[in-house]
Amino acid sequence: MPWHQKRLAQLVQRMVGFPADRRTPDERFRDDALPHLHAVARYALSLTRDESDADDLTQETFLRAFRAWSQFVPGTECRAWLFTICRNTYLRSSKREQRVAACDDAELEALGAAAVHAAAQQEGLDDVFARADMFIAIRKAIDELPETFRDVIVLADLEDESYQEVARVLEIPIGTVRSRLFRGRRLLQEKLIEHARDAGFVGHDGTDRTRRDRQQ
Amino acid sequence: MKVEMLDCDAVMRQLWDYLDGELTPPREAAVRAHLAVCKRCYPQFHFEEAFIKAVSASRREHSRPDAIKSRVLAALRAEGFAA
């Protein structure tokens, strides 16, 4: 390589922090976007709750991403970028539920979690989430959450995205992510404890308190 | 490094942020130190941690991962994708 090309490559490397990318845009798409296909398919399924609709949405997401590939900023989180496209595509194509008013006090919501735990403890259900048979009830409870809260729970708790990435995908401030996430978790816990109570789950000390209480 | 002392109320307010790995390292150390000794806060931490793990484990995977991959690749190739 002539010295001036070498020097240019060194300068580029210093500026962007990695060697100059010699891959074609299609190769970068293959390496950076396509590995997230299954995560996008899963996210699409969380949004549509129907596998056939999710497949359509996944395909549309990747077509839109491919057409807009020149707009993707290398070095940023590609998965979150794909989730953003997926969600926007979904929102454009679906009749959405009425959005509920969001609460904005994350700290209060965090404290509300203590009340849920105290109620579970009182009923001998503080080990309820460790039960292997809870996950079907958890899926159903997530599906039934108002969209405002389901949106953040799916990204933060199912897809393990950071608050910052969730904020980016949903285009809302981080404070709103926190308050919706904490409230969504509380709603979910309340539903699940209700489910456990109705199913007559036995408390950790071996007594079936819920049934006994009902009989009293 | 001196670990900051937190009271129960402060820990409860930050419990989700702690479980989500969203606190700064000094604050995370302070919450961890409190949970290690507090009989009141630890059971709630344990409860919320089990909840987060259970929700994460409930994640639905696509039932035909190869089929959706082939379908997306075919659609991309029709669009001119060549890699």
Side-chain angles (χ1 to χ4, degrees):
Chain A
M1 187 188 291
W3 70 269
H4 58 277
Q5 272 186 19
K6 204 182 262 179
R7 180 78 187 123
L8 187 63
Q10 281 171 348
L11 277 173
V12 168
Q13 188 172 350
R14 196 175 303 159
M15 280 160 62
V16 298
F18 48 83
D21 198 338
R22 293 171 181 282
R23 294 172 298 167
T24 65
D26 284 16
E27 285 168 343
R28 284 194 293 108
F29 189 82
R30 178 197 63 201
D31 298 345
D32 300 344
L34 282 178
H36 301 297
L37 196 147
H38 291 137
V40 171
R42 200 168 53 222
Y43 181 51
L45 187 57
S46 303
L47 291 173
T48 62
R49 290 170 274 186
D50 175 273
E51 201 157 283
S52 165
D53 291 345
D55 287 359
D56 292 344
L57 179 56
T58 305
Q59 176 174 325
E60 189 56 29
T61 300
F62 275 89
L63 285 176
R64 284 173 191 254
F66 181 61
R67 289 175 199 139
W69 187 232
S70 60
Q71 290 163 37
F72 174 69
V73 182
T76 61
E77 179 61 62
C78 189
R79 200 167 89 131
W81 183 71
L82 291 166
F83 282 174
T84 306
I85 296 173
C86 184
R87 182 168 182 275
N88 288 340
T89 307
Y90 167 72
L91 293 182
R92 266 195 291 269
S93 68
S94 67
K95 283 184 192 159
R96 292 150 60 194
E97 298 161 33
Q98 192 115 38
R99 297 201 155 246
V100 298
C103 52
D104 275 322
D105 194 337
E107 303 261 301
L108 268 183
E109 289 300 342
L111 288 176
V116 178
H117 176 233
Q121 232 174 357
Q122 243 173 13
E123 300 190 49
L125 290 169
D126 39 352
D127 282 342
V128 68
F129 301 128
R131 292 178 65 109
D133 53 358
M134 276 301 278
F135 77 97
I136 292 174
I138 294 173
R139 281 180 188 174
K140 186 166 174 284
I142 293 174
D143 286 349
E144 289 170 359
L145 278 178
E147 197 179 33
T148 310
F149 303 114
R150 192 160 59 90
D151 271 349
V152 282
I153 295 267
V154 164
L155 288 167
D157 289 345
L158 299 184
E159 295 302 334
D160 205 25
E161 294 286 352
S162 67
Y163 295 174
Q164 194 178 353
E165 295 300 347
V166 177
R168 190 183 301 172
V169 173
L170 301 179
E171 294 168 344
I172 52 176
I174 286 193
T176 310
V177 170
R178 289 175 77 242
S179 57
R180 289 186 189 177
L181 179 63
F182 302 166
R183 181 152 168 203
R185 284 173 175 169
R186 183 165 61 76
L187 292 173
L188 207 50
Q189 290 185 338
E190 284 168 355
K191 269 176 192 262
L192 293 169
I193 286 166
E194 195 181 305
H195 165 83
R197 193 183 294 134
D198 290 349
F201 284 0
V202 178
H204 58 84
D205 60 355
T207 57
D208 187 344
R209 297 184 193 192
T210 52
R211 263 183 213 150
R212 190 195 56 200
D213 290 348
R214 237 180 273 146
Q215 283 160 3
Q216 277 175 354
Chain B
M1 186 179 70
K2 195 169 182 290
V3 176
E4 184 188 1
M5 294 294 288
L6 296 174
D7 62 20
C8 295
D9 190 62
V11 169
M12 287 299 106
R13 284 175 190 274
Q14 298 169 86
L15 192 55
W16 287 129
D17 302 80
Y18 173 74
L19 281 161
D20 292 331
E22 295 277 348
L23 295 178
T24 59
R27 186 49 69 90
E28 190 177 294
V31 173
R32 191 181 303 113
H34 180 94
L35 289 173
V37 295
C38 181
K39 286 189 179 135
R40 191 179 140 208
C41 293
Y42 184 80
Q44 193 184 338
F45 159 74
H46 183 68
F47 179 78
E48 311 300 3
E49 188 186 37
F51 168 73
I52 299 249
K53 280 185 185 162
V55 171
S56 173
S58 77
R59 188 164 99 164
R60 275 191 197 92
E61 295 296 336
H62 197 283
S63 66
R64 293 164 291 108
D66 293 339
I68 183 64
K69 189 172 180 186
S70 309
R71 183 180 156 179
V72 168
L73 279 174
L76 285 170
R77 292 211 169 99
E79 194 83 9
F81 173 67

